[in-house]
Amino acid sequence: MPSISREEVAHLARLARMDLAPDELDHLAGQLDQILGAVTQVAEVAADDIPPTSHPLPVTNVFREDQPRPSLTPQEALAGAPAAEAGKFRVPRILGEEQ
Amino acid sequence: MSEGGLIRRSAAELAASIASGELSAVEVTQAHLDRIAEVDGEPQSGVHAFLHVDAEGALAAAAEVDAKRSAGAQLGPLAGVPLALKDVITTSDMPTTAGSKILENWQPPYDATITKRLRDAGIVVLGKTNMDEFAMGSSTENSAFGPTRNPWDLSRIPGGSGGGSSAALAAYEAPLAIGTDTGGSIRQPAAVTGTVGVKPTYGGVSRYGIIACASSLDQAGPCARTVLDAALLHSVIAGHDPLDSTSIDQPVPDVVGAARRGADGDLSGLRVGVVKELGGEGYQAGVEARFNDAVAQLSKMGAEVVEVSCPHFSYGLAAYYLILPSEVSSNLARFDAMRFGLRVGDDGTHSAEEVMNLTRGTGFGAEAKRRIMLGTYALSSGYYDAYYGQAQKVRTLIARDFEAAFSQVDVLVSPTTPTTAFPIGEKVDDPLAMYKNDLCTIPSNLAGNASASFPCGLADEDGLPVGLHVMAPVLADDRLYRVGAAIEQAFAGAWGGTLLNQAPELTPTATRAKVIS
């Protein structure tokens, strides 16, 4: 089924928020096609009446009492930040000039 | 006792010597730090199992164990024993990188539950071990910090993603290590380095503080040189953790008891199934020969061996390479250059989104990018049902194969890997060939049941280690240890101890000794 073009790879890279160099786009287009060609065989087996599995034991939502408990201090949470200012994460501008 | 002898002793022996006062924990820790300085070296030459060694912290932790002993406190069964911790597990006193440039020098603000349990047990964490970036790979070549080398042959891979942990054991740099297994990352490295690696039942060991690869598959477990050591470590790290909502709230199987029982070599009454689909074409002759020897040995010890068919296992690899990239693309979205880790291009001219794109393009390696892209594709609208949804159904079919098999037998066996350790560089740009290393190990990740790899000899054609893969039902982790301990004692005579006794001596690396912080 799959035949992935260079343009589609570039689109996926945009969705994944990841800059890829032109040679990476070329290389990945071929490899993704090859890998997806190999994995599409999952379509051959499972019928509609098969339920999906994500955990070997039947677990449902796990809740705890809604009570405050110790967590990271603001200082600890900011310790690994690339940039912090006034007790907050400092980030590059979010809106464009024209906005 | 000479230092050479000390580092070759098992964790159980070291702990007993520390408890009796024959050795101090500081002495034991120093001997392992010396060994690391001698053989670990640099990526170009040495074993390069460690990304970070914390000599000061390790010696302080060891001194604390010695002080407790002097004060008359009862020590745990592994107190004072050094351990190598995979660098995907957070440590509040050491950097945690997951083998990625995007987390270079990142210092976590908290300890993982595993880290905390190790510390509480008096286990001495020597440092953090190398791995494929975000645990994606079967060779440790995908580390951003250079490959780890197999102590059996430094030109070959030590397995992956936990190649640092397996190599540290095989190089006698640590008697214990922790790994994580998403598709075989504990068991495949164990197989190709002649060591023991166990993937517990999914949910058996807390994932709190483990940097996520694929959340529905990831499982941490023990790595060691002997089966009893692995069992002792298993019982330290396993058990319910309220901080991980997928953690199993049931008693931990008696793995230590099973390891001791297995060592008597009597397997009468045990039913063993050889999985028909995991062998034949694509399997190295020497791997099949050693596997057949191990199966014959199981019969000799009283086990009843039959052949079992698991027809859906052949779809495991395909399902895995849809589920894993899908979950990876979602989990790795947290590396957004805003809250922690690398940030590239924040020079006032780029927007937050551009900085995100630049950082992720620069910070992730080739395999991480490949899998993020695959996952983004598989989860994109219109494809979800055909890919991720369909793959989750294959998991059900594989779990049903296991269920049917375990209604006839107590454990299943196969080789752990189709081949022995391959040369570094051989498969690095052939993803499909690389992915096939995990053919035998993946079904247990998809179904969530317990599995392990135990050494079972050397392949005739290359003299490299082969692993026996043992699979047990969900929550029957103890059966793995019974079988593993029985095999270990059966071959001990022929091997002169553990299989690692046949590994060549490592010579001190030619380059300067590793700089220890």
Side-chain angles (χ1 to χ4, degrees), chain B residues 457-481:
Chain B
L458 302 177
D460 293 326
E461 56 271 37
D462 53 24
L464 292 168
V466 175
L468 170 69
H469 188 223
V470 185
M471 295 160 267
V474 169
L475 286 174
D477 307 38
D478 50 329
R479 292 185 199 170
L480 306 173
Y481 289 96

Side-chain angles (χ1 to χ4, degrees), chain B residues 144-315:
Chain B
F145 308 108
T148 295
R149 294 168 183 277
N150 192 324
W152 287 79
D153 175 348
L154 293 176
S155 72
R156 290 176 188 264
I157 60 106
S161 66
S165 286
S166 66
L169 295 172
Y172 296 98
E173 294 174 296
L176 297 173
I178 295 288
T180 58
D181 191 310
T182 305
S185 289
I186 288 175
R187 293 163 287 161
Q188 183 255 1
V192 301
T193 57
T195 58
V196 175
V198 179
K199 183 199 88 70
T201 297
Y202 178 82
V205 175
S206 171
R207 291 187 298 114
Y208 181 73
I210 300 177
I211 297 171
C213 175
S215 307
S216 75
L217 304 165
D218 294 345
Q219 183 56 59
C223 310
R225 289 193 292 261
T226 73
V227 177
L228 178 62
D229 285 358
L232 289 165
L233 183 55
H234 187 132
S235 59
V236 167
I237 59 174
H240 183 242
D241 178 14
L243 297 175
D244 172 5
S245 61
T246 58
S247 159
I248 297 172
D249 194 2
Q250 289 193 44
V252 178
D254 180 16
V255 292
V256 174
R260 294 196 196 279
R261 217 165 38 249
D264 66 19
D266 180 9
L267 293 181
S268 46
L270 185 82
R271 296 167 304 163
V272 175
V274 176
V275 182
K276 196 172 84 181
E277 285 79 6
L278 301 178
E281 201 198 322
Y283 288 74
Q284 190 179 322
V287 168
E288 294 218 287
R290 290 296 83 77
F291 171 68
N292 292 335
D293 291 352
V295 172
Q297 184 61 43
L298 293 175
S299 293
K300 224 163 119 186
M301 292 188 285
E304 181 196 322
V305 180
V306 294
E307 196 179 69
V308 169
S309 174
C310 294
H312 296 99
F313 279 18
S314 53
Y315 293 98

Side-chain angles (χ1 to χ4, degrees), chain A residues 17 24 31 51 53 90 93, chain B residues 343 352 357 369-370 396:
Chain A
R17 301 284 184 275
E24 285 181 300
Q31 287 188 336
T53 292
R90 192 187 67 73
R93 69 183 162 79
Chain B
R343 180 182 284 183
N357 288 331
K369 285 178 179 169
R370 195 148 47 220
T396 307

